[in-house]
Amino acid sequence: QVQLVESGGGLVQAGDSLRLSCAASGRTFSSYTMGWFRQAPGKGREFVGAISRTDGSTYYLNSVKGRFTISRDNGKNTVYLQMNSLKPEDTAVYYCAATSYGVEVIDASQYAYWGQGTQVTVSS
């Protein structure tokens, strides 16, 4: 069992940066691939990116490549989403999630554990 709590969301202007954190409870954090998803109003949950449990390899949604970076600190049971050059279309509730599968699994149904989400709003 893994419990996840996101933090770091807020209201920013286009072009700004924001770093989200996701703190995990439990001793098995390092056993999971950690992913970030987002959900904009009226839309489905969208895969943003993921980081592997071992070698730190990552996989991203094309529209965030080069702007977003995922990292993790297994010693702190925390995964991060650094978001740079934010755009209004990045506005959404952002969720972190844990899966036993690899980084290229983008289907939300394959992620077993979820945080409660944190709101990111980017104004133009």
Side-chain angles (χ1 to χ4, degrees):
Q1 188 86 9
V2 177
Q3 293 183 325
L4 304 172
V5 179
E6 301 97 336
S7 61
L11 171 64
V12 297
Q13 294 187 332
D16 285 351
S17 298
L18 205 57
R19 188 176 83 156
L20 306 183
S21 299
C22 173
S25 65
R27 294 175 291 177
T28 59
F29 173 76
S30 61
S31 300
Y32 293 96
T33 292
M34 297 300 298
W36 285 95
F37 288 75
R38 65 187 181 186
Q39 187 164 16
K43 296 188 177 181
R45 197 162 292 192
E46 176 182 54
F47 173 84
V48 174
I51 186 166
S52 74
R53 54 182 171 264
T54 53
D55 63 2
S57 59
T58 54
Y59 185 71
Y60 296 98
L61 176 72
N62 281 339
S63 63
V64 308
K65 279 182 183 177
R67 298 190 299 123
F68 291 11
T69 303
I70 298 174
S71 60
R72 67 189 296 164
D73 185 335
N74 286 342
K76 295 182 178 180
N77 280 10
T78 302
V79 62
Y80 304 97
L81 177 64
Q82 176 68 44
M83 304 184 292
N84 299 328
S85 302
L86 282 161
K87 304 176 181 180
E89 52 264 42
D90 294 319
T91 294
V93 177
Y94 283 72
Y95 300 88
C96 69
T99 182
S100 298
Y101 298 99
V103 293
E104 296 190 14
V105 173
I106 66 172
D107 184 351
S109 69
Q110 300 302 310
Y111 282 74
Y113 304 105
W114 290 85
Q116 83 290 348
T118 185
Q119 176 71 47
V120 172
T121 303
V122 185
S123 64
S124 58

